[in-house]
Amino acid sequence: MAVIYIDHRAYEVKAGKNLLESCLTLGFNLPYFCWHPAMGSVGACRQCAVKIFKDKDDTQGRLMMSCMEAVKDNMYLSISDPMAKAFRSQIIEWLMTNHPHDCAVCDEGGSCHLQDMTVMTGHAYRRFQYPKRTYKNQYLGPFINHEMNRCIQCYRCVRFYKDYAGGKDLDAFAAHDHIYFGRANDGVLENEFSGNLAEVCPTGVFTDKSLKEHYTRKWDMTMAPSICQHCSLGCNIIAGERYGELRQITNRYNGEVNGYFICDKGRFGYEFVNSMNRIQQPIIRSKIPEAVDKNTLYNHLKAAISNRNIIGIGSPRASLESNFALMQLVGKENFYQGISERDAQLMQTILHTINSGHVHTPSLKETESADAIFILGEDLTNAAPLLALTVRQAVQRRPFEKAQEIGIPSWHDAARREFAQEKKGPLFIAYPTKTKLDALADNCQHLSPDDIARLGFAIANLLNDTAPAPQEIDEDVLKIAQHIANTLKRAEKPLIICGTSLHNEAILKAVANIAVSLGSEDKKASVFYVVEECNSMGLAMMQAPSLEQARAALKMKEANTVIILENDLYRRDAKATIDHLFEQCGELIVLDHLHNATSNQATVLIPAATFAEAAGTLVNNEGRAQCFFQVFRPKNENFRESWRWLDEFRQFKKGASLEDLNEPGDLMAELVTLMPQFKGAEEAAPSADFRIAGQKIPREPHRYSGRTAMLANIQVSEPKPPEDSDSPLSYTMEGYRGIPPAPLTPFFWSPGWNSVQSVNKYQEEIGGAIRGGDTGKRLFQKVSAVEKIFFDDIPTAYQALPGEWLVIPLQHIFGSEELSIYTHGIAERTPHPYAVISRQDAEDLNINENQSIRVTIAEQDYELPATIRNELPSGLVGIPDHVSGLSGISWPAKGILKTIAS
Amino acid sequence: MLSAKEIKKLDHEIALVPIRKSACIEALKIVQQQRGWVSDESLRDIAEYMEMSAEELDSVATFYNLIFRKPVGRNIILLCDSISCYVMGYKKIYQHLQNRLHIKFGETTADARFTLLPNACLGCCDHAPALMINNDLYRDLTNDSLDEILEEYK
Amino acid sequence: MERPLTQHISANHPWLNLKDYTAVGGYQAVHRALKSFTPQEITKTVQDSELRGRGGAGFNTGMKWSFVPMDDATQTKYLIANADEMEPGTFKDRLLLEGNPHQLIEGMIVSAYAIQANTSYIFLRWAYKKAARIIKEAINEAYAAGYLGKNILGSGFNLEMHLHTGVGRYICGEETALLNALEGKRATPRTKPPFPQVSGLFGKPTIVNNVETLCNIPHIINNGAAWFKALGLGADAGTKLYGVSGQVNEPGLWELPMGTTVRELLEEHAGGMKPGFQFRGALPGGASTDFLVTEHLDVKMDYQSVAAVGSRLGTGTMIILDDHTCPVGFIHNLEHFFAQESCGWCTPCREGLPWTEKILLSLENGQGRLEDLELLETHTKHLGPGSTFCALAPGAMEPLQSGLKYFREDFEKHIHEKKCPWDEERNGSHLH
Ligand SMILES: Cc1cc2nc3c(=O)[nH]c(=O)nc-3n(C[C@H](O)[C@H](O)[C@H](O)COP(=O)(O)O)c2cc1C
Ligand code: SF4
Ligand code: FES
């Protein structure tokens, strides 16, 4: 700690930080542009100037950039010094010489850091009399809008896009007052994190194009804290609504999870909520008309839900509450996970390893500080995008630490990069094809899934010779294994990343062996598991049987009732298998938000609320339970949370009449009592009766406009705002204005700080936890390790059989995920379907690049253009998972490859 | 497509630096020397060879004054417009050039014979005004000497 | 009077090749240094000689070297000769480069030895075509003679030397921007600390010195620190290349003892003002120094004396403002240059300089207002040292702030008369 004196008052702050951070942590309003809490300082904008004095007696002082000065004990500085103030307002005046006065028509208006800083420094009148510089804008693809005239050249965009996220197609051009930020030519920004530009840019140069389609000012949005639904990482988001439409997703800072950034799938993938394809009304297919009211629905369901032969099929993309409500309705013994036997097995292996006490499942934040990383069988950029971003930061850690050794502080971004140059910390990747992170890796092994596992087993054996070793391992692979083993062993914070993307259990077992070999009782090995969906982990923890077992449990056609919760089963297993399952169903009740192949089979279809219209709890891959909240009360009253429907069915089944159905009880409390493995999940967010100073937390900012007018076309008197009995959030602008607990933060705002930069005010220290602790409750209890037991079912080396190929699914950030694909921009970014084959196989079969080939899997033919890759092992074929109808495959799949006679 | 000659020169420069990309300015110079300027297409070819994106390379190329990203004439006149030449009357020389060639700074004659560019101090202030044409320096300029000089460049 | 740097250079002679150079005692310093000095002793000698950097800032050269960490013998280090010379009005390094390249190479070998750098670069500005050709040849000669390459003179010391020619930008001369240029990047400056001595080229310890600075090194090694100190007339050591340009009878460049007065330079060496031209002021050391005026003619041209009257020695090459040249136009020309050459990294310079340029132009065009002078003054205050990222913008403000001080009446005249009082003059014929 250090004591510093700001304007003659003493403050205690952390030594070694930079002064700007320290002043902001102390709550001072010091303006800045180029500094970013995650990206550090470069000293370019000169906005953060303060006066620093040599000592107590120095009255002259010198102007210095606070972001570039390390805090030292006994430092004397002044923020309010007239010269410093004049300089800061001069900086704004300079920035404003060329900045258009277009706030009224700028998407950033009202949440603009430049606006805030302009007001903060007191610059108000224009003295610059000359024409402004103007630029041409570029087309940057479906996500990001470009308006270069507004640029204030803070360099944050390129620092984020290039240095932080590794993008290559955005840069700074020209010099002096002609500096331009953009691409070499018009074109789509390729980086998967491009959306963050909208938040990183302090003004309106890079803005959210999807918001533009239904533009609303931040202050006019109704917002709620939410959790991204599009992968297993559980990034925290803020979702905003106006006029019954979901209009924007922004990052919600969580110091332990996503920090300041989210990926483009998470930011732009929300349009499914507004989709025309929503299921609008309960439908009973045996009735005419099919669309029915609630009464008809309940009366129709009465028999079906009272059926003794009832089963419920849950979903890894539905909340714990909804899954649990279904389980309670059908009975624990009749509840099934809606995933294939193979996938259920994978999840059990993961849970088994976690529960054995040999591994630690790190948070995303923790992965950033790993000093050696080994990735097995995952393409992070596509399967768990934000993890790819944290891994990118982790590999820079070593060289940055070396910079610290020669006195370059960690926040001094330019200097540490100049020092580190291209040096990277150790990263190893084993995956069948090239991945984007390969460029950062020390060594990449392109292997079949089983051979990836064998590499893993070999490493475990080299780390601990009581672990079983694979037979007949290749000399070169062994050498690499030794190198990886040594590196992991030497590292202080080694990290293993694996997951379920290749549907290969041996990889998970190999990782378990590595973890057992690497860790010790007081320092467990860190394993980050990438799983498939936003609640895959939560569902797996419910320990229910798989789809296959559900099929087996179905007795006779007609007599069964099957309830499917928010799950398109055709994405889970082979089409024939699912068809067969449906053939055995009597009444097939489906609750979901969108029409899909499964809902098309339903005899009864019930519209479910999406995450934006519902509250719920999800468990991410790390075992962190986090809550999302209803953003808005949908106009369509049929859009109800699945758990609400299901709980009512339960009451109804028990004999309650339609008129006296109660609000559901506390489902989470019930869940935790019945399933102690979820203990803690009920505390993931404050309960509905939580109040601060007797007040709820408003979802609307206090500048929310048009409340009395926006519905005037329907009713002139202002309607009573909906009441929210499910959460401590209110649907109005009235309520507690201070800083709420992290899980209840509907937006970031602080007096004078209208933009997202106001997050500074919510943190205990800059870049640290949100005051009172970050969102989420980790459910994996600290178990002490049971004895070291190794998996010994090591697969044999992959041997392609003549005429048979192993088909593997390749993940795509845009296209592989079910819901985000409804955003047209994401659809646009989805690749055309293809089949990747090895150079060897292409030559043997005489196949040229892009030539159509036929891949036959379980008697299903897929005609796909060939993509030939040198690195892919022969005997393997890769196809993009779920892209353009490439669903309904039971993984791992055997396939036959044929050229198509032209 | 980079020519074999260009690639040979490039490889030489790349061998001298610890990081491949660091030779990118040399690469731009080599190609400009061969082709007079760096077109978008040349830029992409160089970028590919240097294992950079077009953006990364263009970011460097556009920073510097003497990498030409637009076509130039056969001969490039760099007229010093800095202080000593200002005092000694470079504006007259500029005027004279305009009268003779009918181009202003930044322009190329219709017959592509000359491109005229302003240039910061040429380092011969004791012999101002001065200009360079291609690799040749001319000092103590007068309108008359200028006429003779121009004649030498076709 | 000793002229160690230029005694063998004469305007009409070709450059000194290796043979010529060794014939006049060249490369003796390399022999001496490598045989009888430890690296630390060289640094100490240079420090004792009180040689100050001739690139403009005037920092003690030996002291600068002493910051290079020397404990790790395997550490890669670099030495760079800054031959970018783009400061308007400056033409001193050109003479040394074109006249006696081996003197520079020798200075670099000794300096590299002092910091134990095994790779060195000469960063040459693009326009110095002749120098480029000569240096290339000289480097080849030095390699052939065993002064460069592996195991120089059997000492076990290795040194590679490369010539890098820039692609034009004034900021490349700023030593940290130069590093970025050498790394093939945009030449924006870097922050100090960390100083290049600790983390420089490719993140390795690096020394950047001006050509003239480096050329002094062999002479200091040959003749000793005391000899060097005695060369100066006043507080500063050594000789200096001084230059004068503008409307004088004999513009030129001379090596003279450090501390020669402005008057002596102007009147004796440059032959006084041209007939019909009156001296109004001078920028003593390139475009980014404050004006000196008539009352300063007897000021000694050394670091301290020039600083004492509110300017800087800079590069020691003087630009004369005469009475037929409009001071506003003169300063506008400078600010135009600086605004164009701003790298665009920091706000004050990128946005502030073009504003001053626009104001000066509007004054020249007779559209100025009195408030404009206030605005200009505000700019000189807010673009000062420390406020900007590097020294370019503060340098740019030096002629402006002193111009406003000494030629205020001329500025005001532009406003009151709504035109430039020199308009007719400029269109007249006196310039021929
Ligand atoms: C904008 C700017 C331009 C500069 N240009 C040059 C230059 O062309 N040549 C040079 O030697 N130093 C130049 N310098 C000074 C260098 O940064 C550096 O101080 C010098 O090369 C160090 O050498 P010295 O210690 O031998 O003087 C420049 C500085 C600034 C701020
Ligand atoms: S003062 Fe700023 S903008 Fe100007 S050259 Fe230096 S770093 Fe670049
Ligand atoms: S925030 Fe400190 S200089 Fe930009």
Side-chain angles (χ1 to χ4, degrees), chain B:
Chain B
M1 273 272 289
L2 297 175
S3 69
K5 187 173 164 195
E6 286 166 334
I7 287 179
K8 196 166 158 234
K9 286 188 171 186
L10 262 163
D11 286 341
H12 173 73
E13 294 299 334
I14 290 167
L16 291 178
V17 287
I19 295 168
R20 189 181 182 91
K21 278 182 198 175
S22 318
C24 75
I25 296 178
E26 294 300 328
L28 290 164
K29 282 198 295 196
I30 288 165
V31 169
Q32 178 160 296
Q33 198 183 26
Q34 301 296 316
R35 312 176 184 194
W37 66 295
V38 181
S39 66
D40 285 359
E41 200 193 330
S42 312
L43 184 102
R44 268 191 289 276
D45 291 341
I46 305 168
E48 197 186 333
Y49 197 74
M50 299 308 291
E51 295 169 11
M52 300 167 84
S53 67
E55 280 78 8
E56 282 177 291
L57 184 64
D58 208 13
S59 168
V60 175
T62 54
F63 182 85
Y64 294 97
N65 288 330
L66 293 162
I67 297 297
F68 304 134
R69 291 287 281 109
K70 282 187 202 154
V72 288
R74 292 191 295 284
N75 303 294
I76 295 176
I77 306 176
L78 293 171
L79 176 62
C80 176
D81 66 349
S82 283
I83 192 64
S84 305
C85 290
Y86 172 84
V87 172
M88 302 307 286
Y90 90 84
K91 285 201 170 157
K92 305 262 165 207
I93 304 293
Y94 181 33
Q95 193 55 54
H96 191 67
L97 279 170
Q98 287 182 58
N99 295 343
R100 284 284 313 260
L101 305 176
H102 311 290
I103 47 171
K104 294 207 185 70
F105 280 147
E107 293 175 353
T108 300
T109 53
D111 59 358
R113 186 170 156 210
F114 289 109
T115 294
L116 177 58
L117 297 171
N119 192 71
C121 184
L122 286 167
C124 50
C125 318
D126 48 346
H127 294 282
L131 60 69
M132 270 181 98
I133 305 185
N134 305 337
N135 290 339
D136 312 320
L137 178 67
Y138 298 96
R139 319 187 301 178
D140 299 311
L141 291 172
T142 62
N143 286 354
D144 295 341
S145 69
L146 187 56
D147 289 341
E148 275 174 42
I149 292 165
L150 290 179
E151 277 315 299
E152 288 174 35
Y153 296 87
K154 294 296 165 200

Side-chain angles (χ1 to χ4, degrees), chain A residues 429-433 443-447 452 455 476-477 480 484:
Chain A
I429 300 176
Y431 191 72
T433 63
N443 187 284
C444 302
Q445 294 292 310
H446 299 116
L447 301 170
I452 294 172
L455 173 64
D476 291 338
V477 176
I480 281 298
I484 299 175

Side-chain angles (χ1 to χ4, degrees), chain A residues 558-622:
Chain A
E558 316 280 302
N560 294 304
T561 296
V562 175
I563 307 180
I564 299 179
L565 169 68
E566 300 179 26
N567 198 343
D568 178 5
L569 299 190
Y570 285 100
R571 293 174 66 89
R572 307 286 170 201
D573 214 332
K575 183 171 179 301
T577 312
I578 305 300
D579 282 345
H580 184 236
L581 186 147
F582 287 151
E583 279 162 20
Q584 287 172 284
C585 297
E587 196 81 83
L588 177 60
I589 305 165
V590 172
L591 294 95
D592 213 337
H593 11 271
L594 295 154
H595 292 284
N596 58 37
T598 295
S599 71
N600 289 346
Q601 305 272 347
T603 56
V604 178
L605 190 52
I606 298 168
T610 64
F611 78 103
E613 302 129 351
T617 307
L618 303 172
V619 182
N620 79 353
N621 62 326
E622 166 208 352

Side-chain angles (χ1 to χ4, degrees), chain C residues 188-240:
Chain C
T188 43
R190 299 176 175 182
T191 358
K192 296 186 268 192
F195 289 92
Q197 291 95 311
V198 180
S199 172
L201 189 64
F202 299 112
K204 307 286 187 231
T206 304
I207 285 289
V208 182
N209 273 127
N210 172 257
V211 166
E212 187 184 346
T213 312
L214 290 165
C215 287
N216 274 305
I217 302 296
H219 306 291
I220 293 173
I221 294 306
N222 285 333
N223 304 310
W227 163 84
F228 187 78
K229 270 194 340 202
L231 293 176
L233 299 176
D236 287 313
T239 60
K240 177 81 195 78

